[in-house]
Amino acid sequence: MGELRYDEEATRKLLAMYVTPDVIEQRRRFLDALNPKRGESVLDVGSGPGFLAAAIAEATGPTGSVCGIDVSEHMVDLAQSHCAQLPWATFSQADATQLPFPEKSFDAAISTQVLEYLHDIDGALAELSRVLRPGGRAVIVDTDWDSIVWHSSNRSRMDRVLTAWEEHAADPYLPRTLSNRLASAGFDINFQEVVPLLNSDFGEHTYSNRLIDLIVSFVSGRSEIGHDEAQAWADDLRGKGADGQYFFSLNRYMFVAAKRS
Ligand SMILES: C[S@@+](CC[C@H](N)C(=O)[O-])C[C@H]1O[C@@H](n2cnc3c(N)ncnc32)[C@H](O)[C@@H]1O
């Protein structure tokens, strides 16, 4: 029990990450892979605060459409206000495993950092396949949370904190099984690639700087990690940053597929 819930507090912390240059650059790569065209209808599953949906809507233009769905009401509200000037981008509260659209509704679909949070990943992929037209494109991105390399003075504490943090996702190692799952759901994989994230300094506007707070609040009280220990873990990382010894990296994996005709 107990994955990360996007309540107001977690949403605020997530938003702080979304505006870091690291994450902006990753969104650019995901958008390039999706390659939305003018007039296309595109689905964003787990659209979060709507940053990616806004970029997709700019590419489709008003002759196209972008539908974002998210299980969190906070996220749907944020996405709606973020895309207020792009009325052909619309958002609704829905579950990825029960998409509120008829079959073959979309030319393309994207889901970034969402499937790893689902208990029924295959059900969500079946839904994605159902609502895409034959030949429709899908871009799926997920993190393998085992890929974190984070320099610390205390490796055993780091291991315990990261093991507790893995509980924030339903499947923290999803990329390893995703290509087989996509094939079973009726997709042909066009290509897959690793999208690494590297922070070799502790700038305030880096992904991992912002991740620390999210991890501290999530792991405190889990797996016998008290708040003091979680803070000591965070302080150690901040100390590495102050001493010029900071190092963080993490891998995301992107799968670009097409629905089999
Ligand atoms: C890490 S955020 C990613 C948001 C966005 N896709 C992005 O990368 O910018 C994960 C999102 O998935 C949503 N989510 C989690 N479970 C979901 C479900 N069962 N159905 C739809 N959305 C879900 C969360 O509310 C959250 O907005």
Side-chain angles (χ1 to χ4, degrees), residues 6 18 46-48 69-72 75 94-96 112-114 117-118:
Y6 287 98
Y18 273 68
S47 42
I69 68 101
D70 201 289
V71 79
S72 151
M75 291 294 187
D95 195 289
T112 63
Q113 297 296 126
V114 177
Y117 297 106
L118 307 185

Side-chain angles (χ1 to χ4, degrees), residues 11 13-36 44 46-59 75 79 82-83 91 110-114 139-141 143 193-197 205 207 210 252-254 256:
T11 303
K13 290 181 170 151
L14 190 75
L15 280 179
M17 266 182 216
Y18 273 68
V19 293
T20 60
D22 300 326
V23 177
I24 291 170
E25 168 58 14
Q26 293 212 329
R27 267 200 301 280
R28 189 198 57 74
R29 284 185 67 171
F30 306 154
L31 185 69
D32 281 359
L34 183 68
N35 191 19
D44 185 355
S47 42
F51 289 67
L52 184 59
I56 298 169
E58 275 164 17
M75 291 294 187
H82 190 70
C83 294
F91 299 89
I110 190 160
S111 187
T112 63
Q113 297 296 126
V114 177
V139 174
I140 310 289
V141 179
T143 298
E193 61 185 41
V194 61
V195 184
L197 212 150
H205 300 294
Y207 168 84
R210 304 294 172 93
R252 293 186 161 149
Y253 295 86
M254 177 164 66
V256 180

Side-chain angles (χ1 to χ4, degrees), residues 96-106 123-134 185 187 259:
T97 58
Q98 289 183 300
L99 296 175
F101 307 106
E103 60 182 37
K104 303 179 188 166
S105 300
F106 297 99
L125 290 175
E127 275 293 86
L128 196 65
S129 175
R130 181 182 68 76
V131 301
L132 270 177
R133 65 164 170 78
F187 289 93
K259 179 177 168 178

Side-chain angles (χ1 to χ4, degrees), residues 193-212:
E193 61 185 41
V194 61
V195 184
L197 212 150
L198 171 67
N199 295 152
S200 54
D201 63 48
F202 192 60
E204 190 195 339
H205 300 294
T206 57
Y207 168 84
S208 63
N209 184 319
R210 304 294 172 93
L211 181 64
I212 289 173

